[in-house]
Amino acid sequence: MGMSLQTFSTASEAQAALGASGVRYMGGGTLVVRAVNEGDLSFSTIVRTTDPALSAIETSDAGVRVGASVTMGMVLAHPGLSYLAPAARAVGGPAVRNMATVGGNLFAPAPYGDFTVALLALDAKVSVSGSGEMALEAFLQERDSLGASALVTSVTFAAPATDSFRFLKVSRVHPKGAAVLTIAADIREEAGSVVQARIALGCMADRAIRTHAAEAALVGRPRTKEGIAPALTAALEGIDPPTDAIASAWYRREVLPVHLGRLLLG
Amino acid sequence: MAKVPVQFTLNGSERAEFVESGSTLLAALRDKMGDTSPKGGCLQGTCGACTVMVDGELRLSCLTLAETCNDAQIRTTAGLANGEVLHPLQRAFEDAFAAQCGFCTPGMIMAAAALLERNPNPDRADVVEAISGNVCRCTGYEPIIQAVLLAARANSTSAA
Ligand SMILES: Cc1cc2nc3c(=O)[nH]c(=O)nc-3n(C[C@H](O)[C@H](O)[C@H](O)COP(=O)(O)OP(=O)(O)OC[C@H]3O[C@@H](n4cnc5c(N)ncnc54)[C@H](O)[C@@H]3O)c2cc1C
Ligand code: FES
Ligand code: FES
């Protein structure tokens, strides 16, 4: 059976077209067209939209809104999003980054989804056409049950305080390679101790997760070797990382405290 | 299969073709338009042999649907030489022995061209980053890195 592409000029028309069976939405297509090339028969129609609203980046004192069709390259080129540049640069090589969208990254399975890890540590909200806004953490849990007609239009978040945001992707192939693990953290400190912590992990489950146990163990303590020790232990609580061609679950568990420690102390 | 018209500028020439809906830019370029400079290696985005420029941006033609390129400016390695005169990158690849089997070369050269157009004086780290989406199974990369640095130097000397 042949494949066909339908292009709509508005997101709402594209969303309406997603209701039919055998339809898959395409952002940048790095995963969708790869699936076509590999002979995926679970869909026969690809839907996309050229709606300019989905390609917009708005930064203001009220917060940041990044359209779902914004690519990693566009994030890198935006002077107001420099704190997200390390996460955008972590996604593939230069050509992939010109194609890979923020919306598509929310659906990318481990070991992909590096940018989503950063958004999770920023406590981003996801706008889903027809369903309104939801917290990214809840979206990631419910993503598979939202159905094929769920169209993400944008993500919103508050810009982090200066120097509070940290990002680390660990991979074996440099400068580009799929992740052994990815960590993003937004840590606020006052008078020498942590007052608020959000820590997100990639490749520690089939999608990005928050480690609330490590966050709680960090608050009220100084960011020193001794101060972060309970958080490093807590980060492993209930963690069940995948085994894939990049690393085993055992290896990922072993190195998580090492890299989390380096990120928190760095 | 449904045929759809696509038209774009390929290396400066207006081109129009009917392609199968949902087919890739790589297939349109190679099978319909006779430009075999982009290569189909993995068709998964991992090897970079199919790398082209779409509206001045590096893209993987194996993961780009041809229909999304209507009205675009497409550039491939086949369009770099000026008649008989090789592009500085092509000459540097030859001089620095940066091609062995040559399969990766057109993609490498496009990735390098995108770098030099943005950054005419790259350092080694910039070159490594720029070709990080392109796999070479023959050269060990070092001659390619040297060729890109050589082309950058040649450009700055000829501009001086
Ligand atoms: C060679 C290569 C290297 C890669 N390296 C990395 C890497 O290092 N890190 C990383 O994180 N990823 C990587 N990826 C994976 C991928 O490129 C990125 O995750 C990218 O952000 C996916 O976005 P896309 O727009 O291309 O997704 P698409 O392929 O367009 O879509 C992916 C999935 O998301 C759905 N989708 C897309 N947009 C929306 C939307 N707005 N609303 C609802 N559903 C949507 C699609 O239906 C599809 O199921 C790599 C891919 C390749 C080919
Ligand atoms: S053929 Fe396109 S990246 Fe390998
Ligand atoms: S020269 Fe053979 S793959 Fe690069």
Side-chain angles (χ1 to χ4, degrees):
Chain A
M1 194 171 50
M3 193 62 63
S4 70
L5 172 72
Q6 295 177 359
T7 302
F8 297 94
S9 55
T10 65
S12 55
E13 287 171 289
Q15 201 230 338
L18 290 176
S21 71
V23 177
R24 180 75 54 90
Y25 181 75
M26 178 176 87
T30 56
L31 295 174
V32 170
V33 181
R34 182 193 247 195
V36 173
N37 290 347
E38 286 172 352
D40 189 332
L41 296 176
S42 63
F43 58 99
S44 55
T45 303
I46 299 172
V47 163
R48 70 168 191 142
T49 176
T50 51
D51 196 329
L54 267 63
S55 298
I57 299 176
E58 292 160 31
T59 55
S60 70
D61 292 345
V64 181
R65 178 178 294 274
V66 178
S69 301
V70 167
T71 63
M72 300 299 144
M74 290 160 74
V75 171
L76 279 169
H78 198 288
L81 297 179
S82 54
Y83 51 90
L84 279 172
R89 202 174 295 115
V91 176
V96 167
R97 293 199 287 270
N98 287 336
M99 304 171 71
T101 67
V102 170
N105 205 267
L106 302 178
F107 292 85
Y112 295 149
D114 296 316
F115 196 76
T116 305
V117 176
L119 291 174
L120 195 53
L122 290 173
D123 205 18
K125 293 187 175 51
V126 182
S127 294
V128 184
S129 185
S131 321
E133 209 171 51
M134 61 200 292
L136 176 55
E137 192 176 15
F139 170 85
L140 289 168
Q141 292 314 311
E142 293 165 31
R143 164 184 96 178
D144 305 333
S145 55
L146 289 173
S149 61
L151 177 67
V152 173
T153 51
S154 65
V155 292
T156 53
F157 50 86
T162 315
D163 296 335
S164 72
F165 188 69
R166 291 141 197 264
F167 178 86
L168 175 71
K169 172 176 172 176
V170 179
S171 51
R172 298 191 188 208
V173 181
H174 292 277
K176 185 204 90 145
V180 172
L181 65 101
T182 308
I183 313 171
D186 192 19
I187 311 286
R188 316 244 168 155
E189 296 168 288
E190 272 169 30
S193 57
V194 174
V195 290
Q196 190 197 39
R198 284 195 300 260
I199 305 173
L201 305 174
C203 294
M204 287 297 142
D206 67 349
R207 62 199 73 187
I209 52 169
R210 280 271 291 273
T211 167
H212 294 286
E215 294 170 358
L218 201 56
V219 170
R221 299 180 62 93
R223 209 162 43 80
T224 58
K225 197 161 181 274
E226 295 69 34
I228 65 165
L232 302 190
T233 309
L236 289 167
E237 271 173 32
I239 290 274
D240 184 18
T243 290
D244 57 25
I246 312 295
S248 66
W250 174 84
Y251 182 77
R252 287 189 159 112
R253 283 183 64 90
E254 288 294 309
V255 298
L256 170 61
V258 177
H259 291 294
L260 180 57
R262 285 182 194 158
L263 184 75
L264 291 176
L265 293 177
Chain B
M1 264 184 251
K3 298 264 189 194
V4 289
V6 293
Q7 69 84 24
F8 48 70
T9 308
L10 174 60
N11 296 324
S13 305
E14 286 291 324
R15 303 297 298 263
E17 271 293 345
F18 283 98
V19 302
E20 275 142 27
S21 182
S23 63
T24 63
L25 175 62
L26 178 67
L29 292 174
R30 289 182 61 87
D31 304 340
K32 301 281 180 179
M33 299 180 177
D35 182 349
T36 54
S37 63
K39 309 293 177 209
C42 64
L43 306 183
Q44 291 190 341
T46 22
C47 76
C50 66
T51 306
V52 301
M53 278 197 230
V54 178
D55 291 333
E57 273 192 350
L58 219 55
R59 296 281 177 89
L60 299 170
S61 62
C62 74
L63 298 183
T64 302
L65 297 185
E67 292 151 85
T68 64
C69 297
N70 268 316
D71 300 324
Q73 296 280 340
I74 315 274
R75 287 165 61 204
T76 70
T77 307
L80 286 182
N82 183 2
E84 297 284 292
V85 183
L86 291 180
H87 185 276
L89 274 166
Q90 292 172 307
R91 176 158 297 279
F93 266 60
E94 197 184 342
D95 291 346
F97 206 59
Q100 289 185 28
C101 80
F103 196 82
C104 70
T105 311
M108 284 286 181
I109 288 188
M110 288 321 277
L115 168 71
L116 296 189
E117 284 173 16
R118 259 191 349 268
N119 175 3
N121 291 306
D123 60 21
R124 190 192 152 83
D126 297 328
V127 176
V128 170
E129 169 60 35
I131 61 166
S132 63
N134 297 70
V135 173
C136 176
R137 297 281 76 180
C138 303
T139 64
Y141 299 100
E142 198 52 41
I144 297 177
I145 296 165
Q146 294 308 325
V148 181
L149 292 170
L150 186 69
R153 280 200 299 274
N155 276 344
S156 60
T157 321
S158 64

